[in-house]
Amino acid sequence: MNSRRDFLQKLSLGIGAATLTDLTPGIAAPVTSNVPADKQLRVALMGLGGYADIVARGMKECKTARLVGIVTGTPSKIPVWKQKYGIEDKNVYNYENLHEIKNNPDIDLVYVITPNSLHHKHVLQVAAAGKHVVCEKPVADNAKQAREMIAACEKANVKFYIGYRLHFEPHTKELVRMREAGEFGKIMHVNNYAGFKIGDPTQWRLKKSLAGGGAMMDVGVYSTNGARYCTGEEPIWVTAQESKTDPVKFKDVDETVTFQLGFPSGIIANCGCTYNFNHVEMLRLMGEKGWAEMNPAFGYGPIRGTTHKAAIDQPDVNHQAYQMDGIADAILNGKPDPNVTGEEGLKDMLVIDAVYESLRKNGAKVFIKK
């Protein structure tokens, strides 16, 4: 496993699995209604890298969302995508003419899947064009940018969501349901880790100007978000440490970061992320009455979990299809927003900002700014 795509792409076994129950607070439910084709949410993907192709393939399973357009700066990709996904010429854009999408009634939403440090610029552009937005995580380079993105979408009266696919994933959903139902008792401790050994040293993820940071900005989002949905609380302080075994390869970005999150109730979460080694994708929750472990916890599937009671018995699904159907259902049918809005992305960025501040201060405790 030598790339982020390898790390995450354990594609779901049971695409089109059984319908789940109603919305669990904090984790969105999948769509259960059938929406006529002429009322589907029509989506354009912006940035046609490896993950965009995974989203596009996943959307073939959607009931309420449909891929109709693309935005790319690489002309050679256009004929391939047109043929593979049936994209019409009128729904093809580049970064220079993106503003013209405002006049296209056949596109409702743009899913931004460009490098991290371009998210801020691109979300602002899409909002200005009056289209709803999904943005891949991390939402931005920092919390300040995230706030600006939220404000721009509110001003334009468009919806703004972040690609937290695990908030729609049944095993993760069940873990949160059990925690909220008190089946673990008072939560005492959380331990989670996400990472992989990164490959190509010339890729954009190792360039701070495009990635915003290293492992912390990439897979570290899983650690922060996982700690938050395992506790149901927002952390109030952080301490963090970095180790770097290859100062040449990782001259621009962090390689391995371990960090601790302190929560209002006294819970401590030990978290970590790395670009230096494989086989780290786990989450463990300890409570007064019981425990849960997810391993694998963060990839594209299958997710696996067990608790003090039994294995978490939930269907394997296509994460990207469930995510896009959930978002489409909220937009088309006036359902409550799933817990993947820009505000959720901001909460993770507040933690990540504090982690980097702690690293700059040699591991000192940093209180998270709200």
Side-chain angles (χ1 to χ4, degrees):
M1 182 161 29
N2 60 9
S3 73
R4 183 177 189 273
R5 185 171 177 176
D6 291 335
F7 160 60
L8 292 169
Q9 193 177 14
K10 306 180 190 106
L11 291 176
S12 302
L13 299 176
I15 296 173
T19 298
L20 300 184
T21 55
D22 291 339
L23 180 68
T24 298
I27 296 289
V31 168
T32 58
S33 58
N34 291 319
V35 177
D38 62 346
K39 293 185 179 179
Q40 290 180 328
L41 187 75
R42 296 159 301 178
V43 177
L45 300 185
M46 183 174 185
L48 303 184
Y51 188 62
D53 191 57
I54 292 170
V55 172
R57 285 188 276 120
M59 287 188 65
K60 289 182 177 181
E61 306 295 328
C62 283
K63 298 179 178 69
T64 54
R66 179 163 55 98
L67 175 62
V68 300
I70 55 174
V71 184
T72 181
T74 309
S76 61
K77 293 183 178 181
I78 294 173
V80 176
W81 276 73
K82 285 174 58 179
Q83 189 277 328
K84 190 173 183 180
Y85 297 109
I87 307 297
E88 298 182 53
D89 285 336
K90 64 185 178 65
N91 293 335
V92 175
Y93 294 87
N94 57 50
Y95 299 125
E96 285 68 43
N97 67 7
L98 176 63
H99 61 282
E100 295 177 7
I101 205 170
K102 181 177 184 177
N103 303 316
N104 189 336
D106 295 331
I107 294 174
D108 304 308
L109 177 147
V110 177
Y111 192 157
V112 176
I113 318 180
T114 52
N116 304 341
S117 292
L118 300 178
H119 289 175
H120 176 258
K121 173 184 177 181
H122 289 157
V123 167
L124 296 187
Q125 289 177 317
V126 174
K131 302 298 182 181
H132 302 301
V133 193
V134 177
C135 180
E136 253 315 299
K137 55 194 180 300
V139 58
D141 283 349
N142 51 56
K144 178 178 181 293
Q145 288 185 350
R147 288 192 175 97
E148 292 170 355
M149 295 155 80
I150 292 168
C153 290
E154 289 176 347
K155 181 179 179 180
N157 196 30
V158 298
K159 295 286 190 179
F160 180 32
Y161 301 108
I162 313 301
Y164 287 110
R165 58 186 166 75
L166 290 174
H167 286 225
F168 301 85
E169 194 282 320
H171 297 80
T172 308
K173 180 177 184 292
E174 176 63 9
L175 174 75
V176 174
R177 185 205 66 77
M178 293 180 69
R179 190 261 299 161
E180 292 180 331
E183 295 182 34
F184 304 119
K186 179 182 178 182
I187 306 302
M188 308 300 294
H189 188 73
V190 173
N191 190 1
N192 68 56
Y193 220 103
F196 64 100
K197 189 173 182 64
I198 200 164
D200 181 7
T202 67
Q203 65 179 279
W204 68 263
R205 286 188 176 85
L206 297 177
K207 295 177 172 62
K208 188 174 182 180
S209 61
L210 289 174
M216 190 65 221
M217 286 291 286
D218 188 354
V219 287
V221 176
Y222 293 102
S223 296
T224 59
N225 204 254
R228 291 177 49 242
Y229 60 66
C230 276
T231 61
E233 299 182 24
E234 297 303 326
I236 56 176
W237 60 259
V238 164
T239 57
Q241 309 79 38
E242 181 189 359
S243 62
K244 188 170 292 191
T245 64
D246 190 338
V248 176
K249 185 174 184 178
F250 299 101
K251 63 180 179 179
D252 276 355
V253 301
D254 46 284
E255 176 187 318
T256 298
V257 176
T258 54
F259 57 102
Q260 301 72 44
L261 303 179
F263 293 85
S265 65
I267 301 169
I268 303 293
N270 285 331
C271 306
C273 54
T274 186
Y275 271 168
N276 187 43
F277 47 90
N278 296 325
H279 313 301
V280 280
E281 187 195 340
M282 57 78 64
L283 180 154
R284 186 171 176 87
L285 173 159
M286 284 73 83
E288 283 188 326
K289 295 180 181 178
W291 55 271
E293 182 173 294
M294 307 282 280
N295 190 355
F298 305 123
Y300 297 155
I303 302 296
R304 289 291 176 261
T306 189
T307 75
H308 61 288
K309 293 182 176 182
I312 298 178
D313 184 18
Q314 294 292 324
D316 295 319
V317 303
N318 184 294
H319 298 185
Q320 290 75 21
Y322 262 44
Q323 170 187 290
M324 295 310 297
D325 269 345
I327 288 171
D329 199 33
I331 293 174
L332 294 173
N333 301 321
K335 298 289 183 67
D337 275 332
N339 187 33
V340 295
T341 65
E343 293 290 341
E344 179 71 359
L346 172 61
K347 290 173 182 177
D348 277 339
M349 287 313 308
L350 290 168
V351 178
I352 292 172
D353 281 358
V355 166
Y356 280 123
E357 183 177 349
S358 179
L359 292 178
R360 290 192 297 270
K361 295 179 177 178
N362 297 315
K365 179 183 285 189
V366 171
F367 287 91
I368 297 172
K369 301 177 180 67
K370 302 301 182 184

